[in-house]
Amino acid sequence: MPNDQQLSQQIENALVARNPRGMAQVQPALAAGYCLRAAHILQNCIKGKPGATVLIGTGFPVVGTFETDGPVGTIALYDSLEHLGAVPVIVCGQPLVGALAGRYRTHEIRVGDHTHVEADTLAALKHFNPQAIVSIERPGQAQDGGYYNMRGESISERTACFDGFMTWADCPTIAVGDGGNEIGMGKIIHVLEKLDIVPAVTSADELIVADVSNWGAYGMIAFLGLWQGQDLLAKIDPLAILQYLSDLGSVDGVTRINQLTEDGLPVSEGQTVIEQLRQITGFSN
């Protein structure tokens, strides 16, 4: 069987194989093995302090609600980490935080009003004392301090600021993005001029790029399962998660319609990626 570095490169390539938004073009700017390094951060949480807290930021505002990309991967990662003994907490703004609070541990960050961001963020970091922070499809601040969607439209008034969690935390940080305007993309800002996007400048210790950000979470889960000898990916049911989110009012970020899709792609695409990653890690033939 290939070693972990080789597996990581296979996983990384699988995550950008469809390339709808140019992630395959910017991938070479990242040192290969980023999925492996990100997973090691989470593995250290599981093996280290019992009940280590992992904060997961997600939620991209779309037409007054939230999109499916981000929350699906967040829920999958949350369930995996909890199963392995960590204490994940989902950090997001309204309306997503209100929708998820009935089933998951959540922490609310303020939408629109960024006056108290530093004080609020530092207080949350002190309260939770996280051992790792993950951002999955969170809007990242642009050079002008604003937030922009894939169409270049300003969404600052509808966005809660998670950037400070990445900037001011003392623990390792991981980000997942699929377009260039998400938290973490500041790590490869020098190559984002190739994309038709207002790029984000907020960075992270490790950045995972994927065709759909949800899938980047699967890349980390693949390694966690491999190291624990458990087929964690087989436990993920993207359709069930999408249905749960749809019932709470989600929309597809591309079509802006309440439907069981991710960035305009049918759920079968995400299921195929999961199966590919299971094959790569030896859990499926």
Side-chain angles (χ1 to χ4, degrees):
M1 186 172 180
N3 62 36
D4 283 356
Q5 178 69 23
Q6 292 167 328
L7 291 176
S8 192
Q9 291 181 281
Q10 291 179 36
I11 289 170
E12 290 154 20
N13 290 338
L15 294 178
V16 298
R18 292 156 182 79
N19 197 34
R21 296 181 64 192
M23 291 300 99
Q25 276 68 53
V26 302
Q27 181 194 29
L30 292 168
Y34 49 84
C35 276
L36 172 62
R37 295 191 299 271
H40 267 305
I41 291 172
L42 298 180
Q43 176 74 351
N44 288 338
C45 294
I46 296 164
K47 293 177 62 177
K49 177 183 174 184
T53 298
V54 179
L55 301 182
I56 311 174
T58 195
F60 207 109
V62 178
V63 292
T65 185
F66 54 91
E67 69 162 309
T68 54
D69 188 23
V72 174
T74 293
I75 289 170
L77 183 60
Y78 182 109
D79 289 343
S80 296
L81 289 171
E82 187 172 60
H83 173 74
L84 296 175
V87 180
V89 179
I90 300 175
V91 182
C92 50
Q94 295 288 3
L96 180 57
V97 69
L100 298 181
R103 184 180 293 187
Y104 301 96
R105 284 180 295 273
T106 59
H107 174 72
E108 182 176 354
I109 48 179
R110 306 189 203 193
V111 172
D113 178 14
H114 299 158
T115 307
H116 307 286
V117 165
E118 184 170 2
D120 289 351
T121 302
L122 293 177
L125 289 171
K126 182 178 180 180
H127 172 73
F128 288 109
N129 187 28
Q131 304 305 296
I133 297 177
V134 185
S135 176
I136 304 176
E137 189 69 7
R138 277 290 320 176
Q141 284 183 311
Q143 189 65 52
D144 64 4
Y147 295 93
Y148 298 87
N149 63 19
M150 63 184 296
R151 297 169 175 82
E153 302 162 341
S154 174
I155 55 171
S156 298
E157 292 184 359
R158 295 182 281 122
T159 299
C161 179
F162 188 69
D163 304 68
F165 284 84
M166 313 298 282
T167 304
W168 297 316
D170 292 328
C171 61
T173 59
I174 303 165
V176 183
D178 62 17
N181 57 334
E182 304 91 0
I183 283 177
M185 291 294 177
K187 194 172 185 68
I188 54 171
I189 188 70
H190 59 290
V191 298
L192 295 183
E193 69 272 6
K194 302 175 184 178
L195 306 178
D196 183 19
I197 201 81
V198 180
V201 298
T202 306
S203 189
D205 292 326
E206 294 295 344
L207 171 64
I208 296 174
V209 292
D211 292 333
V212 177
S213 291
N214 290 331
W215 304 351
Y218 305 156
M220 292 183 281
I221 295 169
F223 275 114
L224 296 178
L226 177 65
W227 295 330
Q228 299 297 321
Q230 300 181 44
D231 191 359
L232 296 178
L233 288 171
K235 299 178 182 292
I236 302 171
D237 186 344
L239 180 59
I241 300 174
L242 282 168
Q243 186 62 65
Y244 163 71
L245 294 170
S246 177
D247 292 344
L248 295 172
S250 66
V251 295
D252 183 292
V254 172
T255 67
R256 298 183 171 185
I257 297 171
N258 183 312
Q259 58 190 63
L260 306 183
T261 56
E262 308 166 287
D263 281 354
L265 299 175
V267 66
S268 59
E269 292 290 329
Q271 292 167 327
T272 296
V273 169
I274 288 174
E275 183 59 26
Q276 286 179 311
L277 301 190
R278 291 183 66 231
Q279 291 173 4
I280 290 170
T281 50
F283 284 107
S284 176
N285 295 324

